């Protein structure tokens, strides 16, 4: 209503009311300035600030993850990684870093969006004069119900975040997850996909992974046990194994693959079938199986040339360690 003495609306003490009355001369617009102008303007400002904040947060996260995926390796990791990267013919290391960065970025972007959206919703509801207490209480009840109903799903996501952040395994790693083992093809927040030696694809829920045996992290230790007959000159056999491994280590073809000098450890086991001599060599994780196959071949050929006999029961297929070489 208008003030009879001045002809101004009764909200004349409010500066926006005065401005609107001066500009448009409409009583109803001036009297409802808070509802029709001030509140929508504040809500619009909240929305705009939220959109800008979300965009800036996503941009910062994207730049960080892109630098992690494609940038230079941290200095502390270069001595070992540089040698390994020379044999990344399939781009497994790059793919692993990229996938890990994308997964972390997805989690961070989702978290940033939820925080910004939550704050914006609370501010908008406050501007509308809605009592937030019942809503917060109801949201708490719904959250508890969803937590009980989807606890396995939440468990998988939390475990997946831990696996990615701790870099327990990644694309290209050969891992043993208990029920399934093979080469990791994808690591997600909920599911890990790997393919075993028979080509079977396994999908493992991250929440069900209780322990991980990673055969491809850092370096690999190739261990070979060669069986010989009981009457063999063991010192001579051990020397031959050391010579074969040293010759392979000295070759230029294998120089970048073998990371340390081979060690002939001598007698590892004595059974009724024969004596087992062990040799081990450290190699890059990507080449451990190729190194093992080549070294077994050379050891067998040298044993034949030197007349070092393999236990006959093993060659005849008797029960025991099978081939005697692992």
């Amino acid at each position: 209503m208008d003030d009879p003495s001045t002809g101004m609306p009764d909200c004349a003490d409010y500066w926006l009311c005065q401005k609107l009355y001066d500009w448009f001369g409409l009583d109803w617009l001036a009297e409802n300035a808070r509802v029709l102008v001030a509140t929508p303007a504040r809500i619009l400002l909240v929305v705009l600030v939220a959109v800008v904040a979300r965009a800036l947060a996503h941009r910062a996260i994207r730049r960080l993850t892109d630098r992690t995926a494609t940038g230079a390796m941290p200095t502390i990791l270069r001595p070992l990684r540089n040698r390994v990267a020379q044999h990344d013919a399939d781009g497994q290391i790059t793919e692993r870093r990229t996938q890990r960065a994308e997964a972390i970025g997805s989690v961070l972007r989702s978290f940033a969006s939820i925080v910004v959206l939550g704050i914006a919703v609370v501010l908008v509801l406050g501007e509308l004069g809605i009592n937030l207490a019942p809503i917060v209480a109801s949201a708490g009840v719904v959250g508890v119900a969803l937590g009980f109903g989807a606890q396995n799903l939440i468990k998988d996501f939390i475990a997946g975040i831990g696996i990615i952040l701790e870099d327990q395994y990644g694309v290209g790693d050969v891992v043993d997850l208990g029920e399934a083992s093979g080469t990791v093809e994808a690591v997600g927040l909920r599911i890990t996909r790997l393919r075993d030696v028979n080509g079977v694809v396994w999908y493992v829920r991250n929440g069900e992974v209780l322990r991980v045996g990673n055969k491809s992290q850092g370096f690999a230790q190739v261990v070979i046990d060669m069986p010989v007959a009981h009457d063999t000159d063991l010192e001579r056999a051990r020397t031959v194994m050391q010579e074969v491994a040293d010759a392979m280590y000295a070759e230029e073809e294998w120089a970048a693959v073998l990371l340390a000098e081979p060690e002939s450890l001598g007698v590892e086991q004595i059974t009724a079938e024969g004596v087992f001599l062990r040799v081990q060599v450290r190699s890059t994780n990507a080449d451990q199986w190729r190194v093992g196959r080549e070294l077994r071949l050379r050891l067998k050929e040298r044993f034949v040339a030197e007349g070092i006999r393999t236990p006959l029961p093993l060659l005849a297929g008797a029960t025991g360690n099978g081939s005697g070489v692992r």
Side-chain angles (χ1 to χ4, degrees):
M1 297 179 62
D2 294 343
D3 188 344
S5 61
T6 62
M8 292 284 293
D10 58 5
C11 65
D13 58 334
Y14 182 41
W15 69 271
L16 183 59
C17 177
Q18 298 177 8
K19 290 293 183 181
L20 291 177
Y21 185 79
D22 293 340
W23 291 341
F24 301 102
L26 299 175
D27 294 348
W28 66 270
L29 181 61
E31 291 175 354
N32 297 280
R34 295 180 185 273
V35 176
L36 298 179
V37 179
T39 298
R42 284 196 290 263
I43 292 175
L44 180 60
L45 179 62
V46 169
V47 173
L48 290 177
V49 171
V51 171
V52 172
R54 179 180 179 275
L56 292 176
H58 281 206
R59 180 181 179 184
I61 293 170
R62 189 172 294 106
R63 291 183 63 181
L64 176 63
T65 54
D66 289 346
R67 187 178 307 159
T68 302
T70 61
M73 189 72 68
T75 304
I76 192 173
L77 298 178
R78 285 180 187 171
L80 176 61
R81 298 280 185 165
N82 279 352
R83 277 190 108 171
V84 177
Q86 296 175 0
H87 306 279
D88 187 26
D90 298 331
Q92 291 180 344
I93 295 176
T94 302
E95 183 181 359
R96 171 176 177 163
R97 292 182 63 191
T98 301
Q99 189 175 57
R100 185 179 177 215
E102 288 177 353
I104 295 175
S106 175
V107 174
L108 293 178
R109 285 193 295 270
S110 298
F111 179 76
S113 297
I114 292 173
V115 171
V116 172
L117 179 61
I119 295 175
V121 169
V122 170
L123 292 177
V124 169
L125 292 179
E127 289 295 332
L128 295 176
I130 299 176
N131 186 6
L132 299 178
I135 297 177
V136 172
S138 301
V141 174
V142 173
V144 172
L146 290 177
F148 278 109
Q151 54 184 329
N152 288 334
L153 183 63
I154 297 173
K155 178 182 177 182
D156 293 340
F157 274 103
I158 293 176
I161 293 173
I163 290 172
I164 293 172
L165 291 179
E166 296 170 4
D167 196 21
Q168 297 178 14
Y169 53 81
V171 174
D173 282 355
V174 178
V175 299
D176 182 355
L177 302 182
E179 292 293 331
S181 61
T183 302
V184 177
E185 293 188 340
V187 182
L189 291 178
R190 194 178 71 88
I191 292 291
T192 293
R193 187 178 79 240
L194 63 156
R195 188 182 299 271
D196 64 16
V197 294
N198 298 318
V200 179
V201 177
W202 294 81
Y203 295 88
V204 182
R205 286 172 43 203
N206 293 330
E208 297 297 321
V209 178
L210 301 180
R211 56 125 175 108
V212 179
N214 194 327
K215 302 178 182 179
S216 306
Q217 209 163 53
F219 62 86
Q221 198 83 346
V222 180
V223 181
I224 298 177
D225 290 342
M226 290 294 294
V228 296
H230 287 96
D231 58 353
T232 301
D233 183 346
L234 298 181
E235 183 60 30
R236 173 58 182 162
R238 189 192 69 81
T239 302
V240 168
M241 293 177 69
Q242 184 69 51
E243 291 175 354
V244 172
D246 288 341
M248 184 174 174
Y249 179 75
E251 293 180 8
E252 183 178 355
E253 177 186 355
W254 300 95
V257 173
L258 303 181
L259 305 180
E261 294 184 1
E263 295 180 88
S264 181
L265 303 180
V267 178
E268 173 62 24
Q269 187 179 5
I270 300 176
T271 67
E273 299 163 344
V275 181
F276 293 84
L277 302 178
R278 171 168 293 185
V279 62
Q280 68 179 26
V281 60
R282 182 175 297 181
S283 74
T284 59
N285 52 47
D287 297 281
Q288 56 181 301
W289 293 277
R290 186 165 66 98
V291 170
R293 287 190 292 267
E294 179 67 20
L295 188 53
R296 289 185 184 94
L297 175 63
R298 296 189 181 198
L299 286 172
K300 179 59 180 177
E301 291 177 345
R302 183 67 181 275
F303 272 26
V304 172
E306 295 286 339
I308 300 176
R309 294 187 300 110
T310 302
L312 292 178
L314 290 177
L315 294 179
T319 59
N321 281 351
S323 65
V325 182
R326 68 183 183 86

